[in-house]
Amino acid sequence: MNVRKWEMSREEGKKRRGKAVVVGGSISGLCTAHALLSAGWQVVVLEKTTSPPTGSPTGAGLGLDPLSVTILGSWLPQPQLHLFTLPLTIDQNHATDSEKKTSRVLTRDMNFNFRAAYWSDLHSLLYNALPPDILFWGHLFQSFCLIDDKKSVKVQSKVLQTGKMVEVVGDLLVAADGCLSSIRKTFLPDLKLRYSGYCAWRGVLDLSHDENSEIYVALQKVYDDMGKSLYFDLASGTHSVFYELLNKRINWIWYVNQPEPQLKGTSVTMKVSNDMIKKMQEEAEQVWVPELVRAIKATKEPFLNVIYDCDPLEQIVWDHVILVGDAAHPTTPHGLRSTNMSILDAAVLGQCLAKYGVENLSKGLKEYESIRVPTTSRQVLHSRRLGRIKQGLVLPDRNIFDPKTGTPKECRELQQKYMPAFNDIPSCLSAIAKREYYSNL
């Protein structure tokens, strides 16, 4: 056998590496890249923004569940994740009396075991842990088509800096392009997102440069477990979320019932004027305790998210194209599921592809779909229900919730631990969970 034939024979004996094109370089896309690299795949990530984010104007805070922390720990250098997050060991719901400006505890779960992360911190950790030259910034997705008898996918993007059109061919196209996914629209052109009935004012108050902050001291008196507790304050027809991030940064969210705003562009984040911010601050004074109001008023550049979800999808795989993250399951934020579902999507996908290889790609994708769709469907609907309860909106099977008069039975459903599959670990991830558990002993 000559040298060339021997090299060809040896190459044929190797297992062919798959190549995936991931559209979207947010946390969902980066997690998918990590999971597929761990599965032995080649990965290209196309992201429309022109450079890595230096802040988090629309991302703010995240709550990571124990399984997500374990999965992230398998991708990131130790102990980076714990250095950039704070524990959330308590899940607490308060009833706020807007007239008297007082609060009382409705529920308190002291075995919560989440961690609080700043969006841009987590994104930076994931990005910096990837090999160089995987993520292509400033590449705006244009279109895709299946080629080679639907065995490959050709993806076209536009380089925003030059206007040049670029084509990438891979075995798999992963849509990690968010709740308004353009790739999903190709398969489900009539799918409409469902407006929840409310919007969310959000912000992060950065007190890291003020060691003796009066605002921080005042907040600690009202929220005495600040730094380890996830607080929900419920008033009549509204509720807020409050927790501390690393370096004395205060993450807050306030949900306000209102008619659906008219959005422009492809973002669910609205542009807000100074007049809108001033009005929001004045209305906050009428609802919340003074310490929280002071934090809200001191926050620079608060922003407004319009809250959507959609009825669960029955299908998230089409030939060699799949949906992950918010593209697969747009959800309201009340169950802290969006980021956690995205991380779990990526991890399950990686395990399924590693199990079947590129030669049996369709089997791996179908297994991914069969594992994720039933769980995410239940979680999306539960999060929707939880939001309507806390916002005092109508549900067909229970009275409108009033935090002032809520019974223990009514309040029970407010707790995060009653999210479906809250502590479940898919069997395909049990080895990862076990390995990380013993490595941390």
Side-chain angles (χ1 to χ4, degrees):
M1 179 182 292
N2 64 37
V3 174
R4 177 166 177 76
K5 286 184 177 180
W6 178 82
E7 288 178 345
M8 290 176 63
S9 176
R10 183 178 63 174
E11 196 64 33
E12 287 172 358
K14 289 182 178 180
K15 197 172 184 179
R16 185 170 77 84
R17 294 181 68 193
K19 182 176 181 180
V21 183
V22 179
V23 174
S26 192
I27 286 175
S28 178
L30 298 190
C31 288
T32 301
H34 276 283
L36 297 191
L37 287 169
S38 298
W41 278 56
Q42 297 174 290
V43 181
V44 171
V45 181
L46 306 176
E47 167 54 39
K48 64 183 177 181
T49 57
T50 55
S51 62
T54 56
S56 185
T58 60
L62 305 169
L64 300 173
D65 67 28
L67 181 55
S68 290
V69 171
T70 296
I71 294 168
L72 291 168
S74 71
W75 298 332
L76 300 175
Q78 296 293 340
Q80 281 194 351
L81 187 62
H82 278 65
L83 293 177
F84 283 85
T85 59
L86 286 181
L88 286 177
T89 57
I90 303 170
D91 169 26
Q92 186 156 310
N93 287 271
H94 289 161
T96 294
D97 187 320
S98 298
E99 294 181 0
K100 298 179 180 178
K101 298 297 187 291
T102 58
S103 295
R104 65 180 179 86
V105 176
L106 293 175
T107 66
R108 180 178 171 88
D109 177 9
M110 297 184 66
N111 298 300
F112 191 46
N113 199 26
F114 274 46
R115 294 195 72 85
Y118 194 41
W119 187 93
S120 57
D121 287 346
L122 181 57
H123 187 277
S124 295
L125 289 174
L126 289 164
Y127 173 59
N128 291 330
L130 286 172
D133 303 326
I134 278 183
L135 201 154
F136 291 83
W137 301 101
H139 281 243
L140 180 63
F141 169 79
Q142 298 292 299
S143 64
F144 73 92
C145 63
L146 297 172
I147 59 176
D148 299 332
D149 294 329
K150 296 185 177 182
K151 293 179 180 179
S152 300
V153 186
K154 182 166 64 176
V155 181
Q156 189 174 64
S157 64
K158 180 179 181 181
V159 182
L160 295 178
Q161 189 173 7
T162 65
K164 181 180 178 181
M165 303 301 291
V166 176
E167 290 183 348
V168 184
V169 176
D171 300 289
L172 177 65
L173 171 59
V174 181
D177 52 345
C179 67
L180 298 174
S181 171
S182 58
I183 296 174
R184 185 186 66 220
K185 193 171 184 178
T186 302
F187 301 103
L188 301 169
D190 298 325
L191 178 70
K192 302 294 184 184
L193 294 184
R194 169 196 162 276
Y195 177 56
S196 64
Y198 47 88
C199 296
W201 280 99
R202 304 188 67 177
V204 174
L205 174 60
D206 189 348
L207 299 174
S208 59
H209 301 296
D210 188 355
E211 292 184 3
N212 300 309
S213 168
E214 293 182 6
I215 295 177
Y216 190 82
V217 172
L219 286 170
Q220 284 182 312
K221 291 180 179 178
V222 177
Y223 301 95
D224 51 1
D225 286 312
M226 196 168 72
K228 59 181 180 180
S229 185
L230 173 65
Y231 289 102
F232 295 90
D233 287 340
L234 284 72
S236 179
T238 188
H239 80 286
S240 64
V241 185
F242 171 90
Y243 56 95
E244 185 177 357
L245 303 170
L246 189 69
N247 295 327
K248 293 175 70 173
R249 291 174 293 187
I250 308 302
N251 182 77
W252 60 267
I253 310 169
W254 177 21
Y255 297 96
V256 180
N257 294 339
Q258 65 177 73
E260 182 178 2
Q262 294 299 312
L263 285 173
K264 297 180 180 180
T266 58
S267 174
V268 295
T269 299
M270 288 182 61
K271 290 184 177 180
V272 296
S273 64
N274 290 333
D275 287 342
M276 291 172 67
I277 294 173
K278 183 179 179 181
K279 182 180 178 182
M280 177 271 292
Q281 293 171 345
E282 291 172 350
E283 291 175 349
E285 290 180 333
Q286 305 302 313
V287 179
W288 304 118
V289 296
E291 293 81 3
L292 179 56
V293 173
R294 191 175 177 187
I296 290 173
K297 295 177 75 171
T299 301
K300 295 180 180 179
E301 299 182 356
F303 56 95
L304 188 63
N305 282 154
V306 185
I307 306 300
Y308 291 97
D309 67 7
C310 79
D311 291 337
L313 306 184
E314 296 180 357
Q315 182 177 359
I316 56 174
V317 173
W318 292 266
D319 294 312
H320 288 209
V321 183
I322 69 165
L323 310 180
V324 298
D326 288 342
H329 35 69
T331 185
T332 59
H334 309 290
L336 281 74
R337 295 316 305 157
S338 179
T339 299
N340 291 297
M341 285 196 289
S342 297
I343 295 168
L344 194 51
D345 285 349
V348 170
L349 176 61
Q351 292 297 306
C352 290
L353 297 189
K355 176 180 176 180
Y356 288 99
V358 69
E359 297 82 5
N360 295 297
L361 180 58
S362 60
K363 289 184 178 180
L365 298 181
K366 285 299 180 184
E367 185 163 307
Y368 160 75
E369 183 178 61
S370 69
I371 293 171
R372 295 302 294 143
V373 167
T375 297
T376 59
S377 297
R378 293 166 62 207
Q379 292 184 339
V380 166
L381 294 177
H382 185 86
S383 183
R384 177 188 297 182
R385 177 180 177 85
L386 194 56
R388 294 191 69 81
I389 291 172
K390 292 187 175 185
Q391 284 298 105
L393 297 173
V394 174
L395 283 166
D397 61 340
R398 65 175 291 167
N399 295 328
I400 291 176
F401 181 71
D402 183 348
K404 289 184 179 180
T405 60
T407 66
K409 183 178 179 180
E410 289 177 319
C411 293
R412 179 181 181 273
E413 201 170 356
L414 302 175
Q415 296 184 68
Q416 297 293 312
K417 66 182 179 182
Y418 295 111
M419 169 67 66
F422 183 73
N423 287 317
D424 289 358
I425 299 176
S427 58
C428 63
L429 298 180
S430 58
I432 293 176
K434 186 176 181 180
R435 183 172 66 247
E436 289 300 309
Y437 172 79
Y438 284 110
S439 69
N440 290 324
L441 289 179

